[in-house]
Amino acid sequence: MDSLPDAIVQYILSHMSNARDVAVCNCVSKRWKDSTPYIRSLYFPRNSFDNHSGGVSPDAVIWKILSSIVHLEELVVYSPFSGAGLSSWLSTVGPSLRRLELRMDNLVDLQACQESPSKLECIKCAANLESLKLWGVLMTHSPKWDVFHKLKNLEIVGAKLEDPALNTALRECPNLSKLLLLACEGLTSVSIDLKYLEECKLDFYGLGNCSLMINSPKIQLLEVQGCSWIRAHGTSSLRSLSIANNAGRVYMVSFDKLVSLESLSLRGVQWCWDAISKMLEWGSQVKHLYMKVEFTGDFDALEPFPEIDFVEFFNNHPKLQKFDIHGAMFAALCQKNSLQNVDPDFVISCLEEVSVLVRSPLNAEQKMSTLESLIKYGKNLRTMVIKILKMKSSHSSADDFFDEICKFRYLNRKIVRIE
């Protein structure tokens, strides 16, 4: 290192990001210390100050390091900090920051929630951010932000939010292309109107009764968990769609044309049949379909799926390559009348992979007939995975059914496997 030109040393050390490594390098030599201002990214792990002793606070230590850097582009702080500390840092390096990630800890630290200025309010000093990631956020009041014109990526993980506060925050980020709200609770009605949004992942905790309104004409990926009412406009570019509700029911879905949709995933305990049938109709051109909905029914009563005609279903989904069938969907395809009138020329031309979850020996004959038909008519089928999960029955029918599945697997061992 001693023989290297200063520019090379500065280039090498500028790629360090861990704050401990930076502190250690400052102690090596004056030459190494003089390279600290050229660091572009700085990361403070959760345990950065576990063994800290002395009269200087962690906030002051971080400020001292940051104040020596000329043009910091990325700052990641997982170690505890105060609102006053964050304000002092961002007043120093905020204008140059492009990426900011903070572990806020507002959810467990009541004192931190009452600070002035609040941690959320301090973020406005980094006006040129392109990516903002926040962990452990309490956002019950609208943050006093200026508009983040350059912000493309916003991620909030583990948060307590209220509708007006979130809706206000999103309006201050008009040019987002990626939005992630994961493990968020407290929301009842969310409205997203972002014309450049391409990727959106939403995971809402609670009763599963949140309503969502989204208008994003460029959106390509949408994942929603915890909503009962979903209305989306401008979805002609949407390629991947996942809707789940593990706590409540899905009552209503409304989408514009899904002409580009290739992957569709529907999950949850209960969906209204109207919502399921609409999604299957709108997703007629999908290549990958994942169905894990256990029951239908418009009210409290849990009802099985109505019968789904085997031939009609695959004729209505001609591009389907990968099909994951779980729960009620598989049972609906295994009804007595589903395979009674099959045209000799019928073929499932594109299907290559099938995954089936079997839980019950009920209607074993129809289930075996459906599995055999998938092999018979799926001319390009390469893989069939049969998952047998907790098949509870004291009757011998469970053993007989399992034996039939094993025979089926043996006869089609190049394609079928049991998990």
Side-chain angles (χ1 to χ4, degrees):
M1 291 288 286
D2 291 339
S3 62
L4 292 175
D6 287 346
I8 300 299
V9 174
Q10 291 173 3
Y11 178 79
I12 294 173
L13 298 182
S14 70
H15 284 73
M16 290 189 307
S17 61
N18 191 296
R20 287 184 173 181
D21 295 338
V22 173
V24 169
C25 287
N26 279 338
C27 301
V28 173
S29 68
K30 182 178 183 301
R31 190 171 180 233
W32 283 32
K33 185 176 182 179
D34 290 344
S35 299
T36 300
Y38 303 97
I39 290 173
R40 297 297 181 90
S41 176
L42 201 56
Y43 165 53
F44 291 87
R46 183 69 174 168
N47 60 352
S48 294
F49 300 99
D50 283 359
N51 299 317
H52 177 71
S53 60
V56 182
S57 68
D59 282 353
V61 173
I62 295 176
W63 180 85
K64 185 176 181 180
I65 298 174
L66 293 178
S67 62
S68 66
I69 299 175
V70 175
H71 190 85
L72 190 69
E73 295 184 354
E74 180 177 30
L75 175 62
V76 179
V77 183
Y78 286 168
S79 58
F81 61 90
S82 67
L86 181 62
S87 178
S88 65
W89 311 338
L90 295 185
S91 64
T92 302
V93 300
S96 65
L97 278 182
R98 298 292 180 266
R99 297 173 295 280
L100 177 62
E101 183 170 356
L102 301 172
R103 181 162 178 163
M104 307 287 277
D105 279 345
N106 283 15
L107 297 180
V108 294
D109 189 347
L110 181 60
Q111 183 177 356
C113 299
Q114 300 171 343
E115 287 181 325
S116 181
S118 69
K119 295 178 182 179
L120 277 174
E121 186 177 342
C122 294
I123 294 173
K124 69 180 180 181
C125 295
N128 295 313
L129 284 177
E130 296 173 3
S131 176
L132 175 61
K133 301 179 181 181
L134 304 174
W135 300 73
V137 181
L138 179 65
M139 190 187 292
T140 55
H141 301 286
S142 299
K144 298 177 181 178
W145 288 349
D146 297 324
V147 177
F148 290 100
H149 291 286
K150 296 182 179 180
L151 194 65
K152 304 296 183 182
N153 176 40
L154 175 62
E155 300 182 19
I156 299 177
V157 181
K160 291 182 180 178
L161 309 172
E162 291 193 4
D163 301 342
L166 176 62
N167 292 332
T168 299
L170 293 179
R171 284 197 296 270
E172 303 300 335
C173 310
N175 299 315
L176 288 178
S177 60
K178 182 178 180 181
L179 173 64
L180 273 71
L181 303 175
L182 306 180
C184 297
E185 58 180 310
L187 295 167
T188 58
S189 179
V190 177
S191 178
I192 299 173
D193 191 351
L194 298 167
K195 61 181 179 180
Y196 300 111
L197 190 65
E198 296 179 0
E199 180 178 339
C200 183
K201 296 183 180 181
L202 309 173
D203 179 15
F204 301 144
Y205 280 5
L207 300 176
N209 60 352
C210 186
S211 65
L212 171 66
M213 170 67 183
I214 182 167
N215 182 18
S216 300
K218 292 189 176 182
I219 194 163
Q220 297 181 22
L221 183 148
L222 176 60
E223 296 182 6
V224 182
Q225 149 62 30
C227 288
S228 289
W229 295 270
I230 302 170
R231 189 182 299 275
H233 298 297
T235 54
S236 60
S237 299
L238 191 62
R239 295 182 178 277
S240 179
L241 173 61
S242 174
I243 303 175
N245 196 333
N246 298 326
R249 303 181 188 89
V250 176
Y251 289 106
M252 188 277 292
V253 289
S254 177
F255 287 84
D256 288 347
K257 293 181 179 180
L258 298 173
V259 293
S260 302
L261 195 64
E262 297 181 354
S263 177
L264 174 62
S265 174
L266 307 180
R267 292 172 289 131
V269 176
Q270 185 180 7
W271 282 52
C272 292
W273 180 247
D274 181 65
I276 294 174
S277 58
K278 283 182 178 179
M279 291 310 310
L280 291 177
E281 179 183 350
W282 293 330
S284 61
Q285 302 301 309
V286 295
K287 296 178 180 178
H288 180 197
L289 177 60
Y290 184 99
M291 287 286 299
K292 192 178 182 181
V293 180
E294 300 301 329
F295 300 98
T296 184
D298 295 338
F299 302 102
D300 291 339
L302 300 177
E303 299 177 7
F305 281 21
E307 181 176 344
I308 297 175
D309 185 80
F310 183 92
V311 175
E312 182 179 342
F313 173 81
F314 284 104
N315 281 337
N316 289 339
H317 297 84
K319 296 182 180 180
L320 194 60
Q321 296 177 3
K322 185 176 181 181
F323 191 19
D324 290 79
I325 325 170
H326 300 259
M329 183 66 182
F330 180 55
L333 283 170
C334 298
Q335 300 298 316
K336 289 183 177 181
N337 299 322
S338 183
L339 289 164
Q340 281 191 350
N341 300 305
V342 182
D343 192 300
D345 296 327
F346 170 70
V347 64
I348 309 172
S349 57
C350 293
L351 192 63
E352 298 178 357
E353 300 179 38
V354 173
S355 178
V356 180
L357 179 64
V358 180
R359 284 183 170 177
S360 167
L362 295 176
N363 300 321
E365 183 178 348
Q366 285 80 26
K367 289 176 180 178
M368 290 307 307
S369 179
T370 300
L371 294 175
E372 291 166 357
S373 297
L374 288 168
I375 296 286
K376 179 179 179 181
Y377 299 110
K379 301 300 183 182
N380 294 309
L381 191 64
R382 296 185 287 105
T383 303
M384 176 185 288
V385 178
I386 303 175
K387 301 177 182 179
I388 301 176
L389 180 64
K390 298 180 181 179
M391 191 182 293
K392 297 179 180 179
S393 177
S394 58
H395 196 270
S396 60
S397 61
D399 294 333
D400 293 340
F401 185 34
F402 184 73
D403 288 343
E404 288 296 319
I405 292 177
C406 290
K407 292 177 183 177
F408 174 72
R409 185 262 176 196
Y410 177 78
L411 293 173
N412 302 279
R413 53 188 175 275
K414 291 184 178 180
I415 297 177
V416 180
R417 72 174 189 268
I418 300 173
E419 293 184 356

